[in-house]
Amino acid sequence: MAGVDLGPKGQELRQRYIERLPARLEELHASWHWLQHVSWDSKSLTTMTQCAHKLYGSGATFQFPDISHSARILEDQLQKVLNKPDVTVDERHAIETSLDNLVGAIEKAIHTATPIQAVTAVRAATKSHHRIAVIEDDRNQSDFLQSWLEQLGYTVECFETPETYSRKVDDHNHHLILLDISFPEGALEGIVWLERLKYRWDASIPVIMMSARSDMVARMRALRAGADSYLTKPLDLGDLEKQIEQLLNANAGSRPRVLWVEDDSDLLAYYESLLAGQGYEVEGLSQPVRILDRIEQFEPDAIVLDHEMPGVQGLELAQVLRQDARYMTIPILFVSASQAVSEQIGKYSMTGNEFFQKPLDNERFLAALHYHLAQAQLLSARINLVSQRNERQGLQNHDYFLTELATSIAYLETTPASQDCFLVQVGIDREEYLRAQYGARAMASLTARMEQNFANQLGVSDSGCALGGGSFLFKVIIPAGTEVGAYLEHFHQRLNSQGWALGEPPIPITLSIGVLPLTEAVNEDKALLEVEQACSEAMQAGGGCLMWHQPPERSEHSNLDDRIRELLDAKAFKLHYQPIVNMDSGDILFEALVRLVDEDNAVYFPGQFLPQLADGGHGSLYDLDRWVMEHALEGLSKLEGKAAASHSVAIKLASPMTDVAKLIPFLTSQMRNARIKGKRRIYLALSSPTVFTDVAKARQVLKVLQDMDCGLIIEHIDISQATIDLLKELQSVDFVKLGPKYGSTVEQTPELENLIRQLTAIFGSSLPIVATGVEDARAVSWFWERNVRYFQGHFIQAPEVVMNFEL
């Protein structure tokens, strides 16, 4: 970090770092001596790895880049042997050589370093009211960051571990957190803690993750956990300063923008003055026919409409706006001298629009405007989570894609032999150079155009997501019998077919791709690492290349069916919980889903093990459902605080209807033992095919559940007339869940609309429909206009082992 001036305090910290280097040397030597001459054990190896990791992250920070470089090489070599019972002679020799290089770099720093000369001009600290928490177990790093941040004018608190922060900070009033990823408690402890932070406390606190790990798996996990940015060590202080400023400014937010449409120019001037005095950015519009043009240009956060205007009514304008997915979350407030309009506005609202009588009650109006802006912001966040895609024809969100990838890998053995599956990573060659040359805005525009184009190049069964940094991931399905190499080369050519370029005169942009065949021998994380490596090798080979990475061959002794039988016999079940969310009210119901999990935390889905239970050779579906009931109620009973009183659980059952009826007494007993109180805390979820087999028995079960203050959910609802007849016969079920395919825009047909219309006739206005697999904001809008408020799926949240959810 040459050239960075921290003044006298920085010199003091650098000197302290040098003084502590001999102790680090002693720690490395002691661990290596033990490993060589006493015992090759994981504890000493982990200690040595952590020491190398800290030196890699701190060396260049204190202007000793050779220490960082040598420590990184040593850490990489130690990581490769971390889980081995012993190492080869060549591996020992390589580690010893890297250790000698690191020792040399440390000794050079100790003997040749002199205090940094202070420059005459010291940067003036920027006055700031912002408070920053630094959570870092390396004392040298945290002291360094604290001094640097304080010189920039921030108030800084340092914490050695995430748990120290949790214990000592009651109000969690920091404006930003700098968080290391690795702590003695675990290599990814920072990410684990961040997930809890975002759920339990303030999800709006921006978090910058700091780590010596630069691999994509660590980055993706950090971002999925809620990190706003991810920076690699050694830290680039210039980049860190920009990230902090951007996040703090974004979090502070700009002035809310309000578009006021009123044909009376005098009133309009008064309203503009009223809102401007309250800190709003206001634009008045006296010609309502120009509203769409002004919305495009002004991009308001809220719209206020007079209802009675020449040639047009406010409600008509609102209806036009609600038909466009881009404007579906903008609050629309009506101001009118006519009281009648207040009775009509609800059906055009997605964010709780409100009516105000002229003359305006200023205090009430301003309070309502503030409330509706906050609600709209929350609803927008929910819709962003719901959407698989940012735009109708775009790629999937990366969270959804990665969850779908994990599921695909889990079911590879049941994939039809008529097709092969490949993971493909595409990267823009020389992305960092191009970004430095043409700027972030130009690169963002380029990648947005690429995303739209790439989405059009995918086959019907293919999927993909944008990773950021000029990289994209695709899952490509190739029919068996197709020449795979030629197919993927052609795919590569199609991605390049637009002749991508930047600048004037245009500089051609090329794309490199890495390809990994997906097999049962790889898991999600391993697949991501290996395809990233293949893409990197393609870039290093000169760019514009395609590089393959062959996965390990599957062992003949790892038969999946045999492995599942072993786990079934061991009853290695585990519950995961997935929320069903009311997007309007925020109400949540957790559905309990059973999985098989082995000692390596590999997860097996019901479609992989239920057929064997149905055969009866390794337990039964009835026994499994008893286990699910018992453990779901136990999980509900252990909740604390508000969750203990508000959370409900839906228990997904696999048994036939006859056995479901036999499970009711067991459910009653378990509820009594778990002391579950309150109405509708427990729901049973049954698939419609199960209910069809014995409708009379289903009616009996429904009646008993209602007497117990429990509920019933019918899943896999389709558009058939038989489904409608079934629900008419049952009538009082609590929820019906549509099949996932109906979340796609192309499936939103007149037949589906007719189904929803008939369900409305059966259940009334409080429609208990749950939509799953929703594709984009347009699809959300389609369901919302038809009064559907409940959504569930990986696009909201993948199943987790605890009942946690926070929007």
Side-chain angles (χ1 to χ4, degrees), residues 263-327:
D263 64 314
D264 186 322
S265 57
D266 292 332
L267 274 178
L268 188 58
Y270 170 78
Y271 295 146
E272 288 176 347
S273 175
L274 171 69
L275 292 186
Q278 296 294 321
Y280 293 95
E281 184 178 347
V282 192
E283 178 157 329
L285 182 63
S286 59
Q287 297 175 313
V289 293
R290 296 179 53 227
I291 187 170
L292 294 180
D293 291 336
R294 295 312 302 151
I295 288 176
E296 289 275 359
Q297 298 172 26
F298 185 55
E299 297 182 348
D301 299 301
I303 298 172
V304 183
L305 293 175
D306 185 13
H307 177 56
E308 300 291 345
M309 293 179 287
V312 67
Q313 290 189 330
L315 284 176
E316 294 172 340
L317 286 177
Q319 191 171 15
V320 170
L321 293 175
R322 289 298 182 233
Q323 293 171 356
D324 191 321
R326 293 173 298 172
Y327 311 135

XYZ file of all heavy atoms in Angstrom, residues 263-327:
517
model
N -54.817 20.207 -12.340
C -55.039 21.143 -13.428
C -55.194 22.586 -12.955
O -55.134 23.522 -13.751
C -56.268 20.733 -14.244
C -57.549 20.798 -13.431
O -57.534 20.301 -12.280
O -58.548 21.328 -13.945
N -55.359 22.814 -11.645
C -55.462 24.156 -11.083
C -54.044 24.639 -10.761
O -53.416 24.167 -9.814
C -56.331 24.133 -9.829
C -56.594 25.524 -9.273
O -55.682 26.372 -9.310
O -57.715 25.761 -8.794
N -53.550 25.605 -11.537
C -52.154 26.024 -11.396
C -51.876 26.681 -10.046
O -50.776 26.546 -9.493
C -51.769 26.975 -12.542
O -52.638 28.106 -12.556
N -52.848 27.411 -9.487
C -52.640 28.042 -8.181
C -52.500 26.990 -7.080
O -51.611 27.059 -6.222
C -53.800 28.985 -7.857
C -53.820 30.199 -8.771
O -52.734 30.589 -9.256
O -54.909 30.760 -9.005
N -53.411 26.007 -7.094
C -53.307 24.920 -6.114
C -52.000 24.152 -6.286
O -51.354 23.753 -5.320
C -54.494 23.961 -6.270
C -55.776 24.302 -5.519
C -56.849 23.272 -5.828
C -55.515 24.355 -4.015
N -51.623 23.926 -7.524
C -50.403 23.182 -7.808
C -49.186 23.897 -7.211
O -48.309 23.253 -6.603
C -50.234 23.010 -9.319
C -49.118 22.087 -9.783
C -49.291 20.690 -9.210
C -49.108 22.019 -11.316
N -49.118 25.219 -7.368
C -48.005 25.980 -6.794
C -47.991 25.861 -5.266
O -46.927 25.743 -4.640
C -48.109 27.447 -7.214
N -49.188 25.863 -4.663
C -49.269 25.727 -3.202
C -48.757 24.353 -2.753
O -47.989 24.240 -1.795
C -50.710 25.934 -2.742
C -50.939 25.568 -1.297
C -50.557 26.428 -0.273
C -51.523 24.345 -0.962
C -50.750 26.084 1.054
C -51.726 23.992 0.360
C -51.338 24.858 1.358
O -51.517 24.514 2.677
N -49.199 23.287 -3.458
C -48.776 21.937 -3.088
C -47.264 21.763 -3.268
O -46.600 21.114 -2.452
C -49.515 20.902 -3.953
C -51.016 20.862 -3.726
C -51.888 20.595 -4.779
C -51.561 21.081 -2.467
C -53.262 20.543 -4.588
C -52.933 21.039 -2.260
C -53.785 20.772 -3.334
O -55.143 20.732 -3.128
N -46.721 22.344 -4.345
C -45.274 22.250 -4.569
C -44.514 22.896 -3.415
O -43.519 22.359 -2.918
C -44.903 22.922 -5.888
C -45.344 22.148 -7.116
C -45.036 22.902 -8.404
O -44.715 24.106 -8.327
O -45.105 22.295 -9.481
N -44.996 24.048 -2.974
C -44.355 24.749 -1.858
C -44.468 23.940 -0.563
O -43.521 23.843 0.221
C -45.001 26.122 -1.681
O -44.487 26.778 -0.540
N -45.632 23.346 -0.341
C -45.856 22.539 0.868
C -44.864 21.390 0.963
O -44.204 21.190 1.993
C -47.293 22.009 0.862
C -47.633 20.968 1.938
C -47.636 21.609 3.318
C -48.982 20.314 1.641
N -44.727 20.628 -0.116
C -43.855 19.460 -0.082
C -42.380 19.841 -0.093
O -41.557 19.202 0.571
C -44.167 18.536 -1.272
C -45.527 17.842 -1.235
C -45.642 16.842 -2.381
C -45.771 17.134 0.080
N -42.032 20.875 -0.863
C -40.623 21.299 -0.896
C -40.166 21.721 0.494
O -39.029 21.455 0.902
C -40.453 22.445 -1.894
N -41.063 22.362 1.251
C -40.717 22.778 2.603
C -40.511 21.611 3.549
O -39.901 21.766 4.614
N -41.014 20.424 3.186
C -40.857 19.219 4.000
C -39.714 18.322 3.518
O -39.571 17.190 3.966
C -42.161 18.414 4.003
C -43.320 19.154 4.649
C -43.107 19.378 6.128
O -42.597 18.516 6.831
N -43.487 20.565 6.612
N -38.910 18.833 2.580
C -37.746 18.079 2.134
C -37.969 17.190 0.930
O -37.100 16.393 0.581
N -39.111 17.306 0.264
C -39.380 16.498 -0.924
C -38.928 17.232 -2.183
O -38.923 18.464 -2.232
C -40.875 16.194 -1.048
C -41.413 15.286 0.027
C -42.021 15.804 1.168
C -41.317 13.900 -0.102
C -42.513 14.970 2.161
C -41.808 13.061 0.882
C -42.403 13.595 2.010
O -42.883 12.769 2.992
N -38.539 16.462 -3.186
C -38.298 17.006 -4.512
C -39.612 16.875 -5.285
O -40.122 15.765 -5.463
C -37.174 16.241 -5.218
C -36.805 16.809 -6.579
C -35.651 16.056 -7.210
O -34.984 15.261 -6.507
O -35.430 16.239 -8.421
N -40.162 17.996 -5.724
C -41.517 18.007 -6.267
C -41.504 18.475 -7.715
O -40.777 19.407 -8.073
C -42.444 18.944 -5.456
C -43.901 18.718 -5.849
C -42.251 18.737 -3.970
N -42.313 17.835 -8.512
C -42.569 18.334 -9.863
C -44.070 18.402 -10.059
O -44.792 17.414 -9.828
C -41.931 17.440 -10.917
C -42.244 17.922 -12.332
C -41.229 17.446 -13.362
O -40.057 17.269 -13.001
O -41.629 17.252 -14.517
N -44.552 19.574 -10.458
C -45.970 19.756 -10.705
C -46.289 19.581 -12.177
O -45.495 19.948 -13.053
N -47.447 19.007 -12.459
C -47.866 18.768 -13.837
C -49.329 19.184 -13.967
O -50.198 18.617 -13.296
C -47.686 17.283 -14.193
C -48.029 16.867 -15.622
C -47.123 17.561 -16.629
C -47.910 15.344 -15.767
N -49.578 20.167 -14.817
C -50.952 20.663 -14.980
C -51.642 20.048 -16.195
O -52.831 20.275 -16.406
C -50.952 22.187 -15.103
O -50.160 22.592 -16.212
N -50.906 19.264 -16.998
C -51.479 18.607 -18.177
C -51.398 17.090 -17.983
O -50.374 16.471 -18.263
C -50.703 19.014 -19.436
C -50.787 20.503 -19.737
C -49.917 20.895 -20.913
O -48.757 20.506 -21.002
N -50.491 21.655 -21.837
N -52.456 16.482 -17.490
C -52.419 15.058 -17.132
C -52.090 14.132 -18.298
O -51.575 13.029 -18.081
C -53.823 14.793 -16.588
C -54.668 15.927 -17.054
C -53.768 17.104 -17.184
N -52.356 14.525 -19.529
C -52.079 13.636 -20.662
C -50.589 13.410 -20.841
O -50.174 12.484 -21.544
C -52.685 14.211 -21.957
C -54.198 14.195 -21.900
C -52.159 15.620 -22.229
N -49.756 14.257 -20.209
C -48.300 14.110 -20.340
C -47.702 13.270 -19.212
O -46.487 13.193 -19.058
C -47.638 15.491 -20.343
C -48.020 16.366 -21.544
C -47.345 17.737 -21.457
N -45.902 17.584 -21.266
C -45.192 18.269 -20.359
N -45.808 19.127 -19.545
N -43.892 18.100 -20.255
N -48.549 12.627 -18.407
C -48.052 11.976 -17.198
C -47.052 10.856 -17.488
O -46.044 10.715 -16.794
C -49.222 11.451 -16.321
C -48.674 10.930 -14.981
C -50.014 10.383 -17.032
C -49.757 10.628 -13.976
N -47.298 10.054 -18.521
C -46.388 8.937 -18.798
C -45.000 9.441 -19.181
O -43.976 8.876 -18.754
C -46.965 8.041 -19.889
C -48.246 7.287 -19.514
C -48.720 6.420 -20.675
C -48.026 6.422 -18.284
N -44.952 10.510 -20.001
C -43.653 11.084 -20.366
C -42.921 11.606 -19.135
O -41.717 11.401 -18.971
C -43.839 12.230 -21.368
C -44.318 11.734 -22.724
O -44.077 10.548 -23.021
O -44.934 12.531 -23.462
N -43.647 12.292 -18.236
C -43.001 12.863 -17.059
C -42.541 11.785 -16.088
O -41.509 11.930 -15.429
C -43.965 13.831 -16.337
C -44.348 15.060 -17.128
C -43.129 15.737 -17.727
N -42.154 16.124 -16.729
C -40.843 16.203 -16.954
N -40.355 15.909 -18.144
N -40.014 16.568 -15.991
N -43.305 10.711 -15.978
C -42.875 9.611 -15.104
C -41.561 9.021 -15.610
O -40.650 8.720 -14.825
C -43.970 8.531 -15.017
C -45.153 9.038 -14.194
C -43.427 7.250 -14.386
C -46.311 8.078 -14.130
N -41.456 8.822 -16.922
C -40.220 8.275 -17.504
C -39.023 9.151 -17.148
O -37.948 8.657 -16.820
C -40.364 8.192 -19.026
C -41.321 7.124 -19.514
C -40.646 5.766 -19.634
O -39.429 5.682 -19.347
O -41.332 4.803 -20.001
N -39.206 10.474 -17.219
C -38.083 11.389 -17.027
C -37.817 11.695 -15.557
O -36.675 11.742 -15.115
C -38.340 12.688 -17.795
C -38.449 12.489 -19.307
C -38.903 13.743 -20.035
O -38.699 14.843 -19.560
N -39.522 13.572 -21.195
N -38.867 11.896 -14.786
C -38.728 12.323 -13.389
C -38.517 11.146 -12.436
O -37.896 11.292 -11.384
C -39.963 13.126 -12.984
C -39.893 13.730 -11.606
C -38.845 14.560 -11.235
C -40.888 13.470 -10.673
C -38.790 15.121 -9.968
C -40.846 14.019 -9.410
C -39.794 14.859 -9.058
N -39.040 9.968 -12.786
C -38.932 8.754 -11.961
C -39.386 9.013 -10.524
O -38.613 8.922 -9.572
C -37.502 8.217 -11.970
C -37.028 7.789 -13.345
C -35.627 7.222 -13.325
O -34.940 7.367 -12.291
O -35.222 6.630 -14.337
N -40.657 9.339 -10.332
C -41.136 9.696 -8.989
C -41.209 8.495 -8.065
O -41.360 7.346 -8.501
C -42.535 10.250 -9.265
C -42.981 9.528 -10.499
C -41.737 9.365 -11.331
N -41.125 8.795 -6.758
C -41.328 7.764 -5.736
C -42.796 7.684 -5.332
O -43.227 6.669 -4.771
C -40.473 8.074 -4.504
C -38.991 8.098 -4.833
O -38.478 7.075 -5.311
O -38.364 9.151 -4.640
N -43.550 8.751 -5.587
C -44.986 8.773 -5.287
C -45.671 9.721 -6.261
O -45.049 10.652 -6.789
C -45.244 9.205 -3.848
N -46.974 9.479 -6.490
C -47.759 10.316 -7.401
C -49.015 10.764 -6.669
O -49.682 9.967 -5.991
C -48.150 9.541 -8.670
C -46.905 9.106 -9.446
C -49.056 10.380 -9.572
C -47.191 8.171 -10.604
N -49.325 12.046 -6.800
C -50.562 12.588 -6.245
C -51.427 13.037 -7.418
O -50.979 13.802 -8.276
C -50.296 13.774 -5.301
C -51.611 14.254 -4.675
C -49.316 13.376 -4.211
N -52.662 12.540 -7.462
C -53.557 12.831 -8.586
C -54.820 13.530 -8.107
O -55.448 13.104 -7.123
C -53.974 11.519 -9.283
C -52.904 10.714 -10.015
C -53.515 9.412 -10.522
C -52.314 11.506 -11.166
N -55.172 14.613 -8.812
C -56.525 15.148 -8.660
C -57.450 14.201 -9.428
O -57.076 13.682 -10.484
C -56.593 16.560 -9.243
C -57.948 17.197 -8.986
O -58.710 16.655 -8.164
O -58.240 18.214 -9.623
N -58.614 13.936 -8.900
C -59.501 12.995 -9.579
C -60.252 13.653 -10.733
O -60.302 13.124 -11.840
C -60.504 12.397 -8.597
C -61.483 11.473 -9.262
N -61.090 10.389 -10.010
C -62.849 11.488 -9.299
C -62.156 9.762 -10.485
N -63.234 10.416 -10.070
N -60.798 14.823 -10.479
C -61.613 15.491 -11.492
C -60.752 16.483 -12.273
O -60.419 17.562 -11.789
C -62.779 16.226 -10.822
C -63.712 15.322 -10.026
C -64.527 14.393 -10.909
O -64.587 14.631 -12.134
O -65.111 13.445 -10.373
N -60.357 16.087 -13.504
C -59.582 16.973 -14.371
C -60.190 16.960 -15.762
O -60.815 15.961 -16.159
C -58.111 16.521 -14.422
C -57.375 16.676 -13.110
S -55.657 16.104 -13.188
C -55.908 14.315 -13.251
N -60.022 18.039 -16.528
C -60.621 18.099 -17.871
C -60.124 16.965 -18.762
O -58.924 16.782 -18.941
C -60.141 19.466 -18.399
C -59.842 20.268 -17.176
C -59.338 19.288 -16.166
N -61.064 16.201 -19.290
C -60.718 15.173 -20.269
C -60.259 13.859 -19.696
O -60.150 12.870 -20.426
N -59.987 13.788 -18.396
C -59.483 12.537 -17.823
C -59.764 12.528 -16.325
O -59.837 13.587 -15.683
C -57.966 12.383 -18.087
C -57.176 13.442 -17.336
C -57.487 10.980 -17.714
N -59.924 11.332 -15.779
C -60.116 11.174 -14.339
C -58.876 10.515 -13.726
O -58.195 9.708 -14.358
C -61.341 10.316 -14.040
C -62.659 11.005 -14.363
C -63.837 10.209 -13.853
O -63.789 8.983 -13.766
N -64.913 10.917 -13.512
N -58.609 10.885 -12.460
C -57.445 10.337 -11.778
C -57.457 8.827 -11.695
O -56.424 8.169 -11.850
N -58.626 8.238 -11.478
C -58.725 6.781 -11.384
C -58.364 6.117 -12.710
O -57.770 5.039 -12.735
C -60.139 6.371 -10.958
C -60.469 6.570 -9.474
C -61.926 6.225 -9.216
C -59.562 5.712 -8.611
N -58.718 6.750 -13.813
C -58.357 6.201 -15.128
C -56.842 6.208 -15.313
O -56.261 5.235 -15.819
C -59.034 7.019 -16.232
C -60.554 6.907 -16.235
C -61.210 7.861 -17.207
O -60.557 8.854 -17.606
O -62.373 7.611 -17.580
N -56.190 7.299 -14.907
C -54.732 7.352 -14.994
C -54.092 6.279 -14.121
O -53.132 5.623 -14.515
C -54.235 8.730 -14.563
C -54.449 9.889 -15.539
C -53.975 11.200 -14.917
C -53.697 9.631 -16.839
N -54.640 6.106 -12.925
C -54.093 5.093 -12.006
C -54.206 3.701 -12.612
O -53.292 2.882 -12.499
C -54.829 5.155 -10.668
N -55.322 3.420 -13.248
C -55.520 2.104 -13.837
C -54.511 1.853 -14.956
O -53.967 0.755 -15.081
C -56.941 1.983 -14.376
C -57.322 0.555 -14.775
C -58.797 0.430 -15.085
O -59.477 1.424 -15.277
N -59.287 -0.790 -15.128
N -54.235 2.880 -15.771
C -53.233 2.752 -16.830
C -51.861 2.452 -16.236
O -51.123 1.579 -16.708
C -53.180 4.038 -17.687
C -51.986 4.010 -18.635
C -54.475 4.194 -18.467
N -51.504 3.153 -15.175
C -50.195 2.958 -14.547
C -50.064 1.562 -13.952
O -49.006 0.927 -14.048
C -49.981 4.009 -13.453
C -49.842 5.457 -13.930
C -49.748 6.398 -12.735
C -48.630 5.613 -14.822
N -51.140 1.062 -13.344
C -51.059 -0.250 -12.699
C -50.881 -1.391 -13.704
O -50.481 -2.482 -13.340
C -52.325 -0.499 -11.878
C -52.418 0.363 -10.637
C -51.262 0.086 -9.681
N -51.386 0.879 -8.467
C -50.430 1.644 -7.996
N -49.292 1.751 -8.632
N -50.607 2.318 -6.882
N -51.155 -1.147 -14.958
C -50.986 -2.186 -15.970
C -49.541 -2.306 -16.442
O -49.213 -3.202 -17.206
C -51.909 -1.906 -17.161
C -53.391 -2.041 -16.816
C -54.299 -1.551 -17.917
O -53.849 -1.041 -18.936
N -55.601 -1.710 -17.716
N -48.678 -1.397 -15.982
C -47.263 -1.418 -16.345
C -46.466 -1.866 -15.122
O -46.504 -1.219 -14.073
C -46.810 -0.028 -16.798
C -45.430 -0.049 -17.448
O -44.554 -0.802 -16.966
O -45.223 0.684 -18.437
N -45.746 -2.994 -15.258
C -45.023 -3.563 -14.107
C -43.996 -2.593 -13.534
O -43.653 -2.669 -12.356
C -44.330 -4.862 -14.522
N -43.494 -1.657 -14.340
C -42.494 -0.713 -13.837
C -43.077 0.228 -12.787
O -42.348 0.761 -11.949
C -41.924 0.114 -15.000
C -41.108 -0.679 -16.003
C -40.741 0.192 -17.191
N -41.941 0.645 -17.899
C -41.910 1.554 -18.894
N -40.754 2.098 -19.253
N -43.024 1.892 -19.510
N -44.401 0.459 -12.839
C -45.022 1.443 -11.956
C -45.938 0.806 -10.921
O -46.691 1.502 -10.241
C -45.829 2.452 -12.791
C -45.062 3.029 -13.952
C -45.647 3.148 -15.209
C -43.736 3.443 -13.815
C -44.947 3.671 -16.285
C -43.021 3.956 -14.878
C -43.632 4.070 -16.117
O -42.925 4.569 -17.158
